[in-house]
Structure formats: structure tokens, C-alpha cells
Amino acid sequence: MTEIADAPAGKPVSASRTTLSHIMTANDTNLLGTVHGGVIMKLVDDAAGAVAGRHSGGPAVTASMDEMAFLAPVRVGDLVHVKAQCNWTGRSSMEIGVRVLAERWNESTPATQVGSAYLVFAAVDADGKPRRVPPVVPETERDERRYQEAQIRRTHRLARRQAIMALREERAAQGFDE
């Protein structure tokens, strides 16, 4: 493998793995009495942003969020744990995987998974321009699986973007969507 002169050294997944925990209150609820999906999404973005900043060693911005899945409702009083890690890195982008767990305040059962998401962050410099990130180094079989799955998701994101851009160009050439 050829080394790139300005490429930073690799960083293990564990170096930036993060857990944020938050108790859900009545201020977080919707009309059904469960926690707003947007509240959970904000926590997910916060945890993923912390991981991206840690991994890249500086500022990083959310580029996309995909596959946000809500698996079970979150209720007032639940202690929510948002666990995030860097699954994959490119030149300046990082895929961050997030699992959302809830501990029910009135039950003695273990925390259950209530959501998951994948976010892409771009590392930026002080001028908002993309900057290099260190490669992520998987440490376990699970990390390696997540790395490989992240590459598949990236391929799908790029193919989807290319297909949309091609369609837009075709329609513009035909005089539509003016």
C-alpha cells in the first residue's frame, strides 16, 4: 500500500467512541405523550458530532443522516443512552454509526434499543474547507463488519446522487424543471 504524504496516522475505533445519556422530560414529548423523534435525532446528531470531532481532531459538520430508525417509543422518565462510533473514513468524511438505548425508569429490565442511525460528517478547517481525517482502524470483528457495511452504504449514497444528477441534467436538456 502506498503512503500518502499528508495522510494522518490511523486511529482506532475506540479512540473516539462516545456515549451521551439524557433523562427525557415532559418538555421532550409530543401530543401522544412520547418523546419527539426530533429530540432523539438531536441527541443522535450531538453524539455523532462528538465522535466526528474526536476522530478528526477538530471541527466536523453533518453532511447527511440516513437510515434513522425508530424501533420503539421513548417515554418521559426514560434514561436514554446514545452510543456512537466512527465506522468508516474517507479523505475528509466519516460515517458515524449510532445506537439509541432506553432504560425505563419504572422497570427493572436492562436498557433496550429504541433507535439507530448512520450519519456522514465532513471534517472542516477554520475556513469551512474540507480537511483530511485519519483512517479509522477497526479493532474487533464487529468493527470490521461495520466498516464493510459502511462502504456498501457509501456506494449506495454515491450511486443515488449520481442517478439524481443525471436525471436532472436530462430533464433540463429536455426543457423541463425550468
Side-chain angles (χ1 to χ4, degrees), residues 42-59:
K42 168 98 169 66
L43 293 173
V44 164
D45 191 46
D46 287 346
V51 168
R54 272 182 160 177
H55 184 83
S56 68

Side-chain angles (χ1 to χ4, degrees), residues 11-12 19 23 34 43 53 63 73 75-76 78 85 94 96 107 132 146 158 160 176:
K11 222 176 197 180
T19 301
I23 295 174
T34 57
L43 293 173
R75 299 180 190 96
V76 170
D78 287 353
Q85 74 173 46
M94 301 159 277
I96 312 299
E107 300 173 12
R132 294 292 305 254
R146 288 177 175 160
L158 293 174
R160 183 177 60 235
F176 296 107

Side-chain angles (χ1 to χ4, degrees), residues 76-105:
V76 170
D78 287 353
L79 177 58
V80 172
H81 306 285
V82 183
K83 298 177 177 279
Q85 74 173 46
C86 184
N87 290 337
W88 176 90
T89 54
R91 183 175 173 85
S92 62
S93 62
M94 301 159 277
E95 184 197 88
I96 312 299
V98 182
R99 289 178 54 229
V100 183
L101 302 137
E103 283 183 49
R104 308 298 185 189
W105 70 272

